[in-house]
Amino acid sequence: MSAPRMDGPTMDGPRMRGLRRLPEGGEIDRSRPLSFSFDGRAHIGYAGDTLASALLAAGETVLARSFKYHRPRGLLGAHHEEPNAILDLRAGTRHEPNARATLEPLVDGARLSSIHALGTARRDLLAVMDRFARFIPAAFYYKTFMWPHWHVYEGTIRRMAGLGRVAADSRAQGGALRHIDVDLCVIGSGAAGLAAARAGLKAGRSVLLVEQRSRVGGALLWRDAVIDGVPGARWAQDLGAALAAGGARVLTQTTAVGLYDHNSAVLHERSGDGGRIWQVRARAFVLATGAIERPLLFGDNDRPGIMLADAALEYLRRYAVVAGSEVVFATGNDTAYQAALAYAAVGARCTVVDARTDTPAMAAARAAGIEVLAGERIESTLGKDRVQGVRTASGRTLPADLLTVSGGWTPLIHLYCHARGRPRWDAERGVLLPGAPVQGATVVGAADGARSLADALAQGVQAGGGAATDVPACIAPPFDWGGAPDTRMAFGARRTWVDLQHDVTAKDIALAVRENFRAVEHLKRYTTLGMANDQGRTSNVNGLALLAERTGRTIAEAGVTTFRPPFLPVPIAAVVGTQRGELQAPLRRLAAEAVHREERAELRGYGDMLRPASYGPAQDAMTRECKAARERCVILDASSLGKIEVLGPDAAALLDFVFYTRMSSLAPGRLRYGLALAESGAVFDDGVVLRVSADRFVVSCSSSHVAAMTAHLEAWREDRFDLSRAFVHDTTPRWATMAISGPASKGVMTALGLGIDLDDTAFPHMSARDGRFAGEPARVARVSFTGERSYEVSVPAGLAEELWRRARTVGAEPLGVEALGALRCEKGFILVGVETDGETMPQDIGMGRAREVRTDPYVGDRSLHTPAAQRSGRRQLVGVAVAGDEPLPVGAHALSRGARPHSVGWITSSHMGVGAGKPVALAMIEDGASRHGETLEFEHFGTLHRGTLVAPCFYDPKGTRLDVRP
Amino acid sequence: MQVFSCPYCGPRPDAEFHYIGDADKPRPERSCSDEEWAHYLFMRANTRGAARELWVHRAGCGRWLVVARDTETHEVAAVTPMNAERAGT
Ligand SMILES: [Zn+2]
């Protein structure tokens, strides 16, 4: 059987230097030229090019500098296997700091530059590193930069070694995350994948087909094949279109980066800035990921102009780029002969160097005019910044401007490994193959070691649920896997590269073995072999073979490493997607926000809530708003305070269990301030509980703790209550609450006319009454966070603006959150999370009584009686008075006196107290409650302040102003 | 990305759920020793293999669930309401 040929037209002659693009053929659109530049040099490519194919056609051979030695590097591969060609890409506003040249489509106006070089890739000022190579073996950094500490050297080393840099002004914006749920997800659209997708669709399954390249077909796009009587590339294109028309979803330019639990996968679609992430859930996965070629091991095998044979063929067939005119094809398998025949057909002068003595492929090559050196190997290469020739094992030298290498093949089993599959070594094919099957995923085609196109198609059809009669007829040369890596030339006089991306050589592996890093996982970490961001695609198996050879074991004995997600690096912009700013953390807004803006409020985020910090500029507002509250009447939008309803016959029992302060003894219509604890005994939240009726309570907790308090109540309800007898329901956003406060507040309430008897005997402090506002229910609670006579009025959220406007017209002045903070501070009212932290217990803030009297169980009870809870030296709430009129800085530490000064606590809140007429501060100080009168030093960024510990209340300690009459 | 079948909402991705802790950890009586209480507060079984865990369906029904799950293979054996076991309803 002779292989079908699909060769394009030839160049005019074999020596057309500089002309590297054929006049026709390939997938490129010659009617759409695209201009681009590389390191400042202007070039032209075509629509359909990748960055790599355009650079190759433009004659750019040095695209990068190597990681450690700054050796010049060019293209080894044509797609994801490429270790070297990672570039900085700018196009318009778009910036990709680590664009993979082989994956990115060329766009008009693209400005490319090399990374990882001082200067440019062509003239890298760090190339001198290579001369010191013998001083920088594996683990050199670990051994050398230890004293005094690695961090002293880290910055410089990373600058020399790192990849691209994100610009500080980067605005890369990935697409929104997409979810997709299908019966069958096929990864890879080569022959096996297409066959599986077609069979799945025919069987009535919903199908998702995922392809990394810009079009479906896999290796059919460049290798020789005829399927169903048409060339493989056309069969693939026609089938791809038919699948899409038949209802399958076909994603191109999309990489399956990970296979995860319960039949799920994560895809990265490359489009625009960063691309987008897809989350796939599928009843079944078919992994048709194919195989990639391995390089050969010989001296100086890393020069630009040394390329995988299959990549050279892909550049020729897909992009009409002739990668060399004088080509040496080094191989040990028949598959690479396809590339030699194709290059010969376009007029290149071709020589095959084959380690084997005789195979049928040699005769066919010779018949096509190709010189074949049988039983010969490459010993090393010649050239400087690019390959100019080769030296063979028998001492011959051959000129070459392209050296292709084919050291056998590597099935791509990454996704199988993600699904906890364990690979096994197949000695005959010289490959790692999937071992035992894994749940939910079937590996087919070259990824499973298929020996021919016919096998791959048959496996695909079967995995897709089709019958044997569905397998299409095909003609293609058999696939020669090539056997285990040939290590004979790996330890010659010149260095032999194994991992191009991390600059690991055969000598490094030998050194690691001599230092007894003989286990494969140790070898990896010691030399960093396979740990670059290509995960050692082209180096792992060669590295294993060298380890086996140096340790006198077989590859199976040397052990295999596994793969973890992601298969390819994913830009952070894609991971973030649209989850940024308000789309990542949405702000909650008050119903009356518009009216606050009219009042010139400075809005600020408190937790996730946008609230008025002050009205007008903050520095003027503080004193004015505090004075209004102490002397007249203010209105504060307190709508974000929690309004969690707890209902049912067991509601009182639930609250008694969840709150440290008993609530079951509360009379209907009355309010009680209380604490809720965590099981650790720490204060979880504080709040005011209203008992509406025997079986109905409303918990008004801190604004930013509503969700947590609801979950806390729900957790204990579920844990130990009859769910039909107690219910928790958060109504916070349904009600707007305006706190009307100040000595004149009763007059404002009278003017509002809510139909409630405001007489202090009928409606005392810490009680609530129901009235009506604008024809709707209104609840008024006498509870104060300012220390003044106060009324909290709650109305349906839709009436928020109207209530605000009415109160303003009858004399209430606006109060913002910042001034409220100063008012509550001088009263000594705590804020949970400001005064308290994860260690603060109720007895530390003057609320120790329930701990002593309650014997019934409540959350956190046992923790209040541990040695830690009872020890002396606990930080306790105190006030701190200062001489002068300068408030203490928040966060200042109180110093103990004595030989070794240390912190005994800190300032938690500090303000200019308008009511107190002097600075006021709250602090948590060790044993503070019993140290009133003591003067301490407070240190803050090197400055010392003095403050005297006092009771934590600076204004109206008897609470007479709650009922003050105007 | 596991799937948990909530008895109230049906099969949902694990991102909707929030892990709480070990399911079989009764709250000791107030009369317990300091050591018993500390064990209840701070110690976790960190089971490898078959485990019973508490999860709350935070982005769904909000209910607390006992998830019987293999922490190594992530195979889920059962998802049941916690309250049915604890409070008997
Ligand atoms: Zn649910």
Side-chain angles (χ1 to χ4, degrees):
Chain A
M1 184 187 75
S2 72
R5 302 280 293 272
M6 309 188 306
D7 297 324
T10 63
M11 288 188 292
D12 292 338
R15 288 286 182 277
M16 295 294 287
R17 286 216 172 267
L19 176 63
R20 296 179 150 260
R21 187 86 78 166
L22 294 175
E24 51 188 89
E27 298 167 14
I28 51 167
D29 181 353
R30 289 174 180 76
S31 69
R32 289 173 57 206
L34 307 174
S35 62
F36 71 101
S37 67
F38 176 64
D39 278 344
R41 295 180 291 278
H43 299 295
I44 299 286
Y46 296 107
D49 262 326
T50 60
L51 303 181
S53 65
L55 286 162
L56 190 62
E60 291 283 3
T61 48
V62 181
L63 300 183
R65 288 281 165 168
S66 74
F67 188 69
K68 196 163 140 188
Y69 302 120
H70 289 259
R71 302 257 298 182
R73 292 283 166 80
L75 289 163
L76 177 77
H79 203 252
H80 63 81
E81 74 281 7
E82 169 58 34
N84 299 321
I86 298 173
L87 307 175
D88 186 275
L89 162 64
R90 285 174 187 273
T93 57
R94 186 174 158 218
H95 178 218
E96 305 259 349
N98 290 309
R100 302 177 86 86
T102 47
L103 269 60
E104 286 291 335
L106 182 67
V107 290
D108 197 37
R111 283 166 293 142
L112 311 176
S113 48
S114 45
I115 57 175
H116 190 221
L118 196 62
T120 67
R122 213 188 252 183
R123 294 176 54 79
D124 179 6
L125 303 176
L126 293 175
V128 67
M129 289 298 282
D130 196 36
R131 293 217 220 127
F132 297 110
R134 68 193 175 90
F135 304 115
I136 327 176
F140 166 76
Y141 292 88
Y142 300 147
K143 291 170 180 166
T144 309
F145 296 104
M146 290 298 290
W147 189 91
H149 198 273
W150 159 249
H151 291 124
V152 175
Y153 307 98
E154 187 182 5
T156 308
I157 291 172
R158 288 209 191 284
R159 260 195 302 286
M160 285 165 66
L163 290 170
R165 285 170 197 214
V166 181
D169 61 349
S170 172
R171 291 287 175 274
Q173 171 73 66
L177 170 71
R178 310 253 323 238
H179 293 266
I180 187 167
D181 190 291
V182 290
D183 295 328
L184 178 67
C185 177
V186 180
I187 313 286
S189 73
L194 282 168
R198 180 163 80 172
L201 201 64
K202 193 178 167 195
R205 303 160 86 184
S206 58
V207 173
L208 170 66
L209 178 62
V210 181
E211 170 53 48
Q212 292 204 84
R213 287 177 164 83
S214 54
R215 54 173 69 189
V216 299
L220 294 174
L221 296 175
W222 64 90
R223 286 191 211 145
D224 298 333
V226 172
I227 306 178
D228 275 346
V230 298
R234 213 182 94 202
W235 178 82
Q237 292 311 291
D238 293 349
L239 182 48
L243 289 169
R249 164 100 63 167
V250 181
L251 289 176
T252 55
Q253 293 277 66
T254 303
T255 300
V257 292
L259 204 61
Y260 296 92
D261 290 311
H262 296 190
N263 285 21
S264 63
V266 169
L267 316 179
H268 174 228
E269 180 186 10
R270 286 181 293 283
S271 55
D273 265 12
R276 109 168 47 244
I277 300 290
W278 290 73
Q279 285 193 355
V280 182
R281 189 76 65 177
R283 248 56 68 212
F285 284 91
V286 171
L287 309 179
T289 43
I292 56 167
E293 213 164 14
R294 286 198 299 259
L296 282 166
L297 299 166
F298 51 78
D300 286 332
N301 59 344
D302 68 327
R303 289 190 204 284
I306 300 177
M307 188 181 281
L308 297 170
D310 208 39
L313 187 60
E314 182 172 354
Y315 284 118
L316 177 64
R317 292 268 168 83
R318 295 190 66 206
Y319 308 104
V321 178
V322 183
S325 51
E326 188 150 40
V327 192
V328 171
F329 295 86
T331 185
N333 65 74
D334 286 354
T335 310
Y337 278 74
Q338 277 189 44
L341 292 166
Y343 271 76
V346 295
R349 183 174 157 176
C350 299
T351 308
V352 171
V353 174
D354 194 328
R356 300 167 300 172
T357 48
D358 191 27
T359 83
M362 291 179 180
R366 287 185 177 119
I370 298 168
E371 188 184 356
V372 178
L373 305 180
E376 185 68 291
R377 291 178 170 83
I378 307 289
E379 187 267 335
S380 62
T381 65
L382 311 170
K384 189 164 180 291
D385 279 356
R386 62 157 306 140
V387 71
Q388 288 170 327
V390 300
R391 183 177 289 117
T392 68
S394 66
R396 279 183 67 172
T397 58
L398 302 166
D401 60 1
L402 176 67
L403 168 59
T404 79
V405 286
S406 183
W409 298 81
T410 299
L412 290 169
I413 54 171
H414 296 62
L415 296 172
Y416 165 80
C417 291
H418 297 177
R420 284 185 259 269
R422 290 265 164 229
R424 65 180 171 86
W425 177 252
D426 180 282
E428 187 254 316
R429 275 168 281 196
V431 295
L432 287 169
L433 287 178
V438 291
Q439 194 272 326
T442 312
V443 189
V444 298
D448 195 40
R451 294 171 189 277
S452 68
L453 180 59
D455 282 358
L457 287 164
Q459 290 173 2
V461 167
Q462 192 187 1
T469 50
D470 294 335
V471 180
C474 69
I475 310 167
F479 194 80
D480 180 359
W481 285 92
D486 180 351
T487 57
R488 292 255 299 263
M489 310 307 292
F491 295 102
R494 309 291 302 173
R495 279 173 296 169
T496 298
W497 263 263
V498 183
D499 183 334
L500 292 180
Q501 211 182 29
H502 259 176
D503 260 357
V504 179
T505 65
K507 276 185 183 154
D508 290 327
I509 293 173
L511 173 69
V513 169
R514 281 205 303 279
E515 297 188 2
N516 209 29
F517 291 93
R518 299 157 67 93
V520 61
E521 294 292 348
H522 289 156
L523 175 80
K524 255 181 84 168
R525 281 153 186 81
Y526 195 59
T527 62
T528 75
L529 171 76
M531 292 178 76
N533 70 20
D534 70 350
Q535 291 200 11
R537 292 222 196 330
T538 52
S539 64
N540 275 339
V541 175
N542 281 343
L544 282 178
L546 291 171
L547 173 66
E549 192 254 4
R550 287 287 117 167
T551 55
R553 294 176 290 185
T554 65
I555 291 177
E557 288 164 352
V560 297
T561 58
T562 190
F563 300 100
R564 294 181 187 87
F567 175 74
L568 270 182
V570 178
I572 296 295
V575 176
V576 172
T578 52
Q579 295 274 300
R580 49 170 71 196
E582 277 209 58
L583 290 176
Q584 192 262 325
L587 271 177
R588 294 192 305 127
R589 292 166 186 280
L590 295 166
E593 183 179 315
V595 79
H596 296 309
R597 288 185 185 276
E598 274 174 37
E599 300 256 29
R600 310 175 60 77
E602 303 258 331
L603 296 166
R604 196 179 295 170
Y606 291 89
D608 57 357
M609 194 89 192
L610 195 64
R611 300 177 69 188
S614 63
Y615 293 84
Q619 63 273 31
D620 313 333
M622 277 300 270
T623 310
R624 185 186 68 239
E625 292 178 13
C626 287
K627 264 183 148 43
R630 293 278 178 249
E631 293 167 10
R632 299 180 298 275
C633 176
V634 289
I635 178 167
L636 170 89
D637 192 335
S639 301
S640 52
L641 283 176
K643 277 145 289 195
I644 305 164
E645 300 224 1
V646 181
L647 310 105
D650 288 349
L654 171 58
L655 287 172
D656 272 355
F657 188 77
V658 171
F659 274 80
Y660 166 74
T661 318
R662 274 192 84 153
M663 297 298 169
S664 58
S665 54
L666 196 55
R670 300 291 301 193
L671 302 160
R672 183 170 292 160
Y673 173 79
L675 299 179
L677 311 183
E679 278 283 56
S680 65
V683 175
F684 175 78
D685 198 14
D686 65 349
V688 172
V689 177
L690 160 67
R691 187 168 206 169
V692 178
S693 58
D695 58 358
R696 186 166 176 214
F697 295 79
V698 180
V699 176
S700 181
C701 59
S702 313
S703 296
S704 51
H705 298 166
V706 178
M709 179 57 100
T710 307
H712 193 60
L713 285 161
E714 185 63 39
W716 291 111
R717 168 184 176 258
E718 291 243 7
D719 181 67
R720 51 205 291 129
F721 287 87
D722 179 340
L723 299 185
S724 66
R725 294 178 59 83
F727 302 88
V728 176
H729 179 52
D730 175 25
T731 67
T732 305
R734 311 290 291 271
W735 297 90
T737 302
M738 301 296 169
I740 292 170
S741 181
S745 57
K746 194 171 178 179
V748 169
M749 289 299 294
T750 308
L752 280 175
L754 305 179
I756 295 170
D757 181 358
L758 293 171
D759 179 82
D760 286 350
T761 321
F763 186 12
H765 183 62
M766 295 307 267
S767 62
R769 297 292 178 265
D770 287 330
R772 294 193 79 76
F773 176 73
E776 297 286 340
R779 174 171 296 144
V780 182
R782 283 200 61 187
V783 54
S784 176
F785 206 51
T786 62
E788 304 293 338
R789 169 189 289 277
S790 295
Y791 301 87
E792 280 184 1
V793 184
S794 295
V795 296
L799 293 173
E801 279 194 32
E802 196 174 336
L803 178 58
W804 179 276
R805 287 186 203 283
R806 283 269 297 280
R808 291 282 281 126
T809 59
V810 296
E813 300 169 49
L815 176 71
V817 174
E818 292 303 308
L820 176 69
L823 295 169
R824 67 96 201 165
C825 177
E826 64 180 349
K827 276 297 293 177
F829 294 155
I830 63 152
L831 281 180
V832 171
V834 174
E835 270 66 44
T836 71
D837 61 20
E839 293 183 3
T840 309
M841 291 181 172
Q843 67 271 25
D844 303 327
I845 53 172
M847 295 189 66
R849 189 169 149 73
R851 165 174 172 259
E852 279 148 35
V853 301
R854 276 190 79 174
T855 52
D856 57 324
Y858 57 91
V859 177
D861 50 7
R862 182 62 180 81
S863 291
L864 302 183
H865 299 277
T866 59
Q870 287 159 335
R871 69 180 173 88
S872 66
R874 292 187 63 84
R875 282 185 297 273
Q876 296 170 328
L877 180 71
V878 290
V880 185
V882 292
D885 55 7
E886 191 64 34
L888 289 165
V890 172
H893 278 262
L895 300 181
S896 74
R897 296 170 193 283
R900 202 174 56 82
H902 63 276
S903 169
V904 294
W906 50 82
I907 303 290
T908 56
S909 298
S910 178
H911 291 277
M912 189 62 210
V914 167
K918 59 185 181 187
V920 298
L922 298 176
M924 294 298 289
I925 304 288
E926 288 178 13
D927 295 322
S930 55
R931 295 170 68 180
H932 292 179
E934 228 178 277
T935 296
L936 297 180
E937 283 183 327
F938 290 86
E939 195 271 353
H940 193 62
F941 292 112
T943 308
L944 286 178
H945 307 261
R946 292 174 75 80
T948 304
L949 306 190
V950 296
C953 183
F954 298 85
Y955 177 71
D956 185 29
K958 294 206 167 68
T960 55
R961 297 191 60 83
L962 295 168
D963 288 315
V964 77
R965 285 156 206 282
Chain B
M1 292 185 290
Q2 305 162 86
V3 175
F4 296 153
S5 278
C6 173
Y8 304 101
C9 310
R12 297 295 184 92
D14 58 7
E16 291 188 4
F17 299 79
H18 180 68
Y19 174 73
I20 301 295
D22 301 341
D24 302 302
K25 217 174 168 191
R27 187 173 194 269
E29 294 293 318
R30 178 99 69 98
S31 56
C32 71
S33 68
D34 288 335
E35 287 68 29
E36 282 173 288
W37 185 252
H39 190 271
Y40 161 69
L41 279 185
F42 302 117
M43 300 308 281
R44 302 286 178 269
N46 198 19
T47 306
R48 176 177 177 173
R52 278 165 39 88
E53 304 170 330
L54 284 185
W55 292 71
V56 59
H57 195 183
R58 197 154 59 172
C61 57
R63 296 294 300 272
W64 287 56
L65 306 166
V66 174
V67 177
R69 195 175 71 99
D70 189 302
T71 59
E72 199 174 2
T73 65
H74 294 182
E75 207 171 310
V76 179
V79 182
T80 49
M82 175 187 81
N83 185 261
E85 292 182 11
R86 297 239 170 150
T89 60

